[in-house]
Amino acid sequence: MIQLKITNTNKFQMKRFFTTTLSLLFLVCAHSQNLVSNGSFEEISGKLKAGAKVDAASGWMATADIFSGESKDESTSAPDNIYGREKALEGYNYAGIVAYAYQGKEARTYLMTEFSEPLVKGKKYCVTFHVSLSDISKFAVNNISARIDAKEYKIDETTMTLPLEPHIKHSKNKVIETMVYWEPICGTYTAQGGEKY
C-alpha cells in the first residue's frame, strides 16, 4: 500500500514522521515543496468498483490497486479489505502493489506519477514513501524501491519486471515484514535535470 512525497531541499535537515498504516508515504524535508500531487491518493474520480486500479486516483497511472475509506466494496475498501486491515497513513486511501508472486504466477504491479514540475539539475531531492505488508501475504520482500526518470514507462497487466536500476530503496535493503504500521523508506536523489516521473 502506498503514499508518496518527493520534496526539493537545499538543506540536509530532515524530519521523519512515523505513523501507523499499510502504505508507501513520505519523509518531509524542512522548507520544502511536495512535487507529488495527490500523494495520499485522496482525490478519486468516480466510485470505486471491485478491482479498481490506481488510475482512479488523480495523477496516478500503472497497474497498482487502490483502496479507499469511501468504498462500500470489500475488495476496494479501507481500512478493512480482502487483504486484511490497515489504516491509511494519511487520509483514508492507499495503493497496493504486488511485489512478488511465487514462481511468477502473477505479474508485479507498479505505481507511476508525474511531478508537478521537472527536477532541476544538481539539486538534491528527498524521496520518501511508506510500505506495509498486507495481513494475508505469504511472502515478505526486500528491494522495494523508487526510480526517478525523465520519461514515462509503459506498464500494463503483463509487465513482470521492469529491468531498471532503482534510485531510492531502504538503506539496509531490509525485508519488509511490517504488518501493523507503515515502514518508511527514504533517501536523497541528485537530479540530472528534467526528470518528470
Side-chain angles (χ1 to χ4, degrees), residues 88 119 132:
L119 304 189
S132 179

Side-chain angles (χ1 to χ4, degrees), residues 148-168:
I148 299 160
D149 221 313
K151 66 178 184 175
E152 178 180 342
Y153 290 98
K154 183 69 177 162
I155 303 169
D156 60 32
E157 295 293 333
T158 63
T159 303
M160 294 304 283
T161 303
L162 290 176
L164 304 167
E165 285 297 316
H167 293 119
I168 305 297

Side-chain angles (χ1 to χ4, degrees), residues 68-146:
S68 175
E70 295 182 8
S71 176
K72 305 281 189 250
D73 187 303
E74 182 187 31
S75 66
T76 58
S77 64
D80 298 302
N81 55 58
I82 59 174
Y83 298 105
R85 177 178 178 78
E86 188 66 68
K87 290 181 182 177
L89 182 59
E90 180 179 284
Y92 300 99
N93 302 344
Y94 51 82
I97 60 170
V98 174
Y100 173 80
Y102 182 67
Q103 295 182 341
K105 291 182 180 176
E106 189 175 356
R108 292 181 184 179
T109 56
Y110 298 89
L111 287 163
M112 185 169 37
T113 191
E114 186 172 2
F115 302 145
S116 58
E117 59 188 55
L119 304 189
V120 177
K121 184 175 182 173
K123 282 198 174 185
K124 291 186 185 243
Y125 293 82
C126 292
V127 180
T128 308
F129 56 96
H130 290 74
V131 296
S132 179
L133 185 63
S134 73
D135 295 343
I136 68 161
S137 293
K138 293 180 182 176
F139 303 99
V141 298
N142 62 347
N143 289 319
I144 295 178
S145 56

Side-chain angles (χ1 to χ4, degrees), residues 2-19:
I2 296 170
Q3 291 177 313
L4 174 67
K5 183 183 247 182
I6 296 179
T7 55
N8 172 356
T9 182
N10 290 327
K11 293 184 177 181
F12 221 58
Q13 291 181 300
M14 297 179 229
K15 295 180 182 176
R16 284 191 170 169
F17 287 96
F18 293 91
T19 56

